[in-house]
Amino acid sequence: MNARGNGSGNGPAPNGSTGAPVIRMRDVHKAFGPKKVLQGIDLDVGERESVVIIGGSGTGKSVTLKCILGLLEPDKGSIKVDGEEVVGLTGQARDRINAKFGMLFQGAALFDSLSIWENVAFGLIQGRGMGRAEAKKVAIEKMGMVGLGKHVADLFPAEMSVGMQKRAGLARAIAADPEIVFFDEPTTGLDPIMADVINELIVHVVKDVGCSALTITHDMASARKIANRVAMLYEGRIIWAGPVDQIDRSGNEYLDQFIHGRPEGPIQLQVRAL
Amino acid sequence: MNFVALIGRAFLGFLATAGRLVLFALAGVSHIFRPPYYYRLIWRQMVDIGYYSLPVVGLTGLFAGMVLALQSYTGFARFSAEGAVATVVVLSMTRELGPVLAGLMVAGRIGASIAAEIGTMRVTEQIDALTTLATNPFKYLVAPRLFAGITMLPILVLVADIIGIFGGYVVSVYKLEFNAPNYLKRSWEFLEVIDVVSGLVKASVFGFLVTLMGCYQGYNSKRGAQGVGAATTNAVVASSILILIFNYIITELFFSK
């Protein structure tokens, strides 16, 4: 596993990104009891760059994202957003950082008790104190950007398909014009056509809206479509990172096994007999 | 593992849980007093807890008062003390049965509903979504429910007291053939302000306990449908037990000599 641990401390970007990173993670560790999930993550996300973290289940992808979002506190290491250390931030200081973020959750995580437009406008009304009438206008505009018509504005999440819920979740993620958008398994559970629609929307968010994006996924088709750079996570470390067009000739046997979905190789599935 | 170690581990586990619950309660209560205030959410919770619990609390109070009149009459008749029925009904309703029965009914209705709602929000990542949208889940989810529980339970108990006393009156006058003006006179004769106030204080504490346990169990719900189910059960069981324990403590504080 000689590709592991490619960078640590405050040195140069470990994964080949250029320019000042909007997110910089260095030597981030996180354990849950005896289980060490993150064992020294180093990762940069540059401005207007789309980075995709790939890796098998249980390798720490979601935990990485939650550490950046402040939903989990790392045990050790540094996470900087726009050069500001965010580990240990709480209260209003954390809210100020989170106001730079948008997040599309795996299951969209729309609020059941609110209509679609209220979901999309939530961050504007609660976070920024915008009036409801003005927030509704912005929400409907953002819904239009992800292909949701005005007629669905007053529906509730339970009245919509999974694909439409994901679109609404994406509209909510970009509603407050975030600097960085996070995508957690954005195409999981979608049919191939809807998955491609969501991928297109993510590309649109990065290219046209001008956000940086950090996505975690197992879906290689999605990764190839939306990534500028790919980072492979294995056993709590980034074992390979580089431009998306180099993943097929990386020379990394772990990455090769993963992207081709081969059961044989250095990655051993941890299957335990019941 | 030996028996002493087992007891020690259980005791430490209990202390850790109690500590987490107290910290959760302090965080929730502190957000009641700190802006921003979500008036719309607070109002919605007050309507849900107060208004929609009226039928179940009213019916409970009515039948409790009626049974109390019947039972105390048959008991007191054995030593010719039937005249005390009115006083027993009014004191029992205001001091004990009103707050305890209303608290237990609300624990079943509201405690379960809060735990299920917040638990579902936990497992579907809606609580994480709140945080990423720069909204404090304690302020948005917990504080409005605690406030509504603390303020609405006394109103519900007051209604239950009145309906329960009315139930006792109906049974006493129309079934047991008490003289109506005399019954009313005996009802008010020995009733003191402290009897009603102690019941309302209990109600407020019970409202806090029910909403707190619903929020705590839901917020810490484990993954999946089973986790939400367990959170709901735990919320109802824990709040019911706490109601009975605090009922004794508050009674002791108000009336012990």
Side-chain angles (χ1 to χ4, degrees), chain A residues 98 110-112 122 126, chain B residues 38 40 126 130-131 135 140:
Chain A
N98 281 0
L110 298 174
F111 305 124
D112 304 321
F122 190 91
Q126 307 297 350
Chain B
Y38 295 111
R40 187 187 289 258
Q126 291 178 52
L130 277 176
T131 306
T135 301
Y140 190 80

Side-chain angles (χ1 to χ4, degrees), chain B residues 22-106:
Chain B
V22 169
L23 289 176
F24 187 93
L26 288 175
V29 170
S30 77
H31 281 288
I32 292 177
F33 300 102
R34 284 190 280 162
Y37 306 111
Y38 295 111
Y39 297 109
R40 187 187 289 258
L41 290 177
I42 292 170
W43 174 248
R44 192 189 296 167
Q45 290 305 323
M46 288 173 83
V47 169
D48 200 24
I49 295 174
Y51 182 71
Y52 289 115
S53 298
L54 271 175
V56 68
V57 170
L59 273 175
T60 309
L62 178 69
F63 286 101
M66 290 166 73
V67 167
L68 197 57
L70 267 182
Q71 287 283 24
S72 50
Y73 176 80
T74 50
F76 291 167
R78 291 175 190 174
F79 40 91
S80 304
E82 298 94 329
V85 168
T87 310
V88 167
V89 168
V90 77
L91 290 186
S92 303
M93 281 309 301
T94 54
R95 282 185 176 200
E96 287 299 324
L97 291 181
V100 171
L101 291 179
L104 292 175
M105 297 313 284
V106 171

Side-chain angles (χ1 to χ4, degrees), chain A residues 184-240:
Chain A
D184 183 0
E185 309 275 5
T187 54
T188 299
L190 299 179
D191 64 70
I193 297 169
M194 183 53 76
D196 204 51
V197 169
I198 295 292
N199 287 336
E200 290 282 356
L201 289 171
I202 294 172
V203 171
H204 165 69
V205 163
V206 176
K207 283 192 177 159
D208 301 341
V209 181
C211 302
S212 304
L214 180 59
T215 307
I216 58 176
T217 188
H218 302 113
D219 180 351
M220 285 313 300
S222 176
R224 287 175 194 276
K225 183 144 196 170
I226 63 183
N228 299 131
R229 285 191 302 116
V230 174
M232 166 100 182
L233 194 58
Y234 181 66
E235 290 187 346
R237 291 187 181 92
I238 302 288
I239 58 164
W240 184 88

Side-chain angles (χ1 to χ4, degrees), chain A residues 138-160:
Chain A
V138 177
I140 288 173
E141 182 198 330
K142 300 292 181 184
M143 285 165 59
M145 287 172 70
V146 298
L148 287 177
K150 203 176 175 180
H151 61 284
V152 302
D154 292 316
L155 294 181
F156 283 83
E159 297 172 300
M160 293 170 65

Side-chain angles (χ1 to χ4, degrees), chain B residues 168-189:
Chain B
Y169 170 85
V170 168
V171 168
S172 301
V173 171
Y174 295 101
K175 182 172 171 60
L176 305 173
E177 297 178 347
F178 276 71
N179 176 279
N182 272 350
Y183 184 91
L184 286 176
K185 181 171 169 284
R186 292 298 290 255
S187 291
W188 303 123
E189 205 170 27

